[in-house]
Amino acid sequence: MILKNVCFYNEIFEKEVADFRIENGEITEIGIIDEDGRDMSGMTALPGFVDIHIHGGNGGDFSDASKDANDKISSYLAKHGVTSFCGTTMTLDNQTLTDIVKCGKAYAGKEAGAKLVGINLEGPFISYDKKGAQNGAFVRAGTVEEFNQLFEDSGEMVKLITIAPEAFESEAFIKEVSKKCVVSIGHTSANSKETQRAIHLGAKHATHLYNAMTGMTHREAGVVGTVMDNENVMCELICDGGHVCPAVVRNTFRILGENRVCVISDSMRGAGFGAGEFDLGGQTAYVYENGKYAVLEDGTIAASITNVFDEFKNLLDFGIDFKTALKSCTINPAKAIGLDAKIGSLAPNKCADIVFVDEKLELKEVYINGKRA
């Protein structure tokens, strides 16, 4: 397939116009191609969006451990410009987590839309005091043995795991697990010293920055200030306008710049449905009319009901520049999970995951591995 006159953002996220040759699911050539093809004038091509922290959408939840649920999520994401995702678990018992990761392993390559490129274990080795909307009944101390078994059962698809480094004897865990996947600090009461220690041992990611972690004050940096201060740590950010207020979003980008923010949805099965009651990790979550996120019965803020493409447009409305916003939704999350050689930007030898938008940034066409979704 040849696409002609493509206005696109290139590998360094600068705008240019060229022709694309797509073969076997990859972009094989970008330049002037002296062959006939489809004229793409009037639209702009963006890299397929990447969501590395999503629980569900369109009525499906990754923790349902079923092909039907994963199809609902995958289809929903493709319709919203997200072409790759990491299915994300909740804090659950070992057998349930085993079933989920085995289902994820079997599902990869059989998607209905967006590609399942990894699994994100959000817990269960977290702090009870900062569990947020996670089920406290399943919070437990982490062991290398439990992780290794889940990693093996997933077919080595686990790309991220969230832990609270202060909640258990985590030194050996971080050292060993960080050799296999990204260790992320989150759902944690850690202070600055404990956070620094975890980073020194190998942690290099922060789960939904600001939410369910110790904040920064002028006398104690907490998790927030400590991860911001370390240039080797990438930070997730929910940009639905509710989990983190726009002013804080702007200040966060001023500190972290264009290369360290990974925009995530952290969405649940109610995404795309509007108001209603939904199951979230065995708990009831409520989405109210015109709400920006779900809450538990006691009012605890829970998962979002957004998607990364809508968050991208939110960022532009918040005042974040186009290049920075786009990178935070595409190449940055791809880098965070070590897949930036194949996804996250438009370049030869990368997957033909392309989102075409009009001048108003309305989605027009989505291609995943060169096939129109």
Side-chain angles (χ1 to χ4, degrees):
M1 177 170 65
I2 295 175
L3 303 179
K4 305 286 289 185
N5 305 312
V6 180
C7 177
F8 72 106
Y9 285 82
N10 61 23
E11 199 165 20
I12 59 171
F13 290 81
E14 300 293 341
K15 187 184 284 189
E16 63 174 285
V17 178
D19 304 330
F20 280 40
R21 186 189 302 277
I22 297 172
E23 297 176 336
N24 300 318
E26 292 189 349
I27 301 169
T28 58
E29 183 181 357
I30 296 178
I32 299 174
I33 301 173
D34 191 19
E35 298 177 41
D36 292 335
R38 185 182 171 202
D39 187 2
M40 306 304 289
S41 299
M43 294 189 287
T44 299
L46 310 176
F49 286 60
V50 180
D51 192 349
I52 59 174
H53 186 152
I54 172 173
H55 298 281
N58 193 34
D61 192 304
F62 190 67
S63 291
D64 292 344
S66 75
K67 181 181 183 301
D68 178 64
N70 291 339
D71 279 346
K72 290 177 180 177
I73 300 166
S74 177
S75 298
Y76 165 78
L77 291 177
K79 291 176 183 177
H80 290 87
V82 179
T83 57
S84 298
F85 71 104
C86 286
T88 305
T89 66
M90 296 290 287
T91 291
L92 298 161
D93 63 273
N94 178 263
Q95 184 56 59
T96 302
L97 290 175
T98 299
D99 293 342
I100 295 167
V101 300
K102 285 183 176 179
C103 180
K105 174 185 176 182
Y107 187 71
K110 302 182 178 74
E111 300 91 350
K115 297 178 289 189
L116 178 68
V117 296
I119 294 172
N120 181 342
L121 299 176
E122 189 176 7
F125 314 137
I126 59 175
S127 165
Y128 186 89
D129 292 338
K130 291 289 186 180
K131 61 182 175 59
Q134 302 286 339
N135 194 328
F138 302 116
V139 171
R140 54 191 179 274
T143 68
V144 173
E145 292 73 22
E146 182 173 1
F147 171 82
N148 281 345
Q149 189 60 59
L150 290 170
F151 186 74
E152 180 180 337
D153 289 338
S154 76
E156 302 186 359
M157 283 193 66
V158 174
K159 301 296 183 185
L160 284 156
I161 183 168
T162 297
I163 71 162
E166 83 295 347
F168 63 101
E169 294 295 330
S170 63
E171 180 171 337
F173 184 95
I174 297 172
K175 283 182 177 179
E176 292 303 313
V177 172
S178 61
K179 297 174 184 177
K180 297 182 177 180
C181 81
V182 175
V183 175
S184 184
I185 301 169
H187 287 281
T188 173
S189 297
N191 59 28
S192 179
K193 184 177 181 180
E194 291 164 332
T195 305
Q196 288 173 348
R197 180 63 174 162
I199 295 170
H200 175 74
L201 291 169
K204 58 179 182 179
H205 196 85
T207 300
H208 44 51
L209 191 68
Y210 301 109
N211 291 278
M213 62 177 58
T214 50
M216 176 174 60
T217 72
H218 63 298
R219 290 197 175 94
E220 164 59 40
V223 174
V224 171
T226 306
V227 297
M228 282 182 162
D229 193 44
N230 191 301
E231 63 182 13
N232 296 316
V233 179
M234 299 193 80
C235 300
E236 298 177 354
L237 200 64
I238 306 171
C239 298
D240 58 4
H243 277 79
V244 183
C245 85
V248 175
V249 170
R250 286 190 290 273
N251 279 299
T252 302
F253 274 98
R254 289 189 185 103
I255 294 170
L256 297 179
E258 67 180 43
N259 297 318
R260 290 178 56 201
V261 175
C262 299
V263 171
I264 60 163
S265 69
D266 193 18
S267 66
M268 44 84 82
R269 73 173 77 242
F273 274 6
E277 297 181 14
F278 306 92
D279 175 76
L280 180 66
Q283 303 175 101
T284 301
Y286 302 85
V287 177
Y288 297 112
E289 201 68 42
N290 299 317
K292 293 182 178 180
Y293 47 76
V295 296
L296 300 184
E297 188 172 8
D298 63 3
T300 299
I301 188 170
S304 86
I305 51 172
T306 189
N307 61 77
V308 173
F309 184 76
D310 284 347
E311 291 178 277
F312 165 66
K313 292 194 288 186
N314 286 344
L315 288 175
L316 300 179
D317 289 341
F318 295 164
I320 306 303
D321 70 90
F322 192 97
K323 180 180 180 180
T324 297
L326 186 58
K327 291 181 71 173
S328 71
C329 298
T330 56
I331 194 64
N332 292 357
K335 282 182 178 177
I337 58 173
L339 294 181
D340 51 303
K342 282 297 178 184
I343 62 174
S345 63
L346 300 176
N349 303 315
K350 301 189 80 166
C351 294
D353 299 339
I354 311 170
V355 173
F356 284 96
V357 297
D358 63 17
E359 67 278 1
K360 295 181 180 179
L361 293 180
E362 295 297 323
L363 282 168
K364 305 304 291 184
E365 298 179 11
V366 176
Y367 290 83
I368 300 172
N369 287 344
K371 295 182 179 179
R372 188 169 176 180

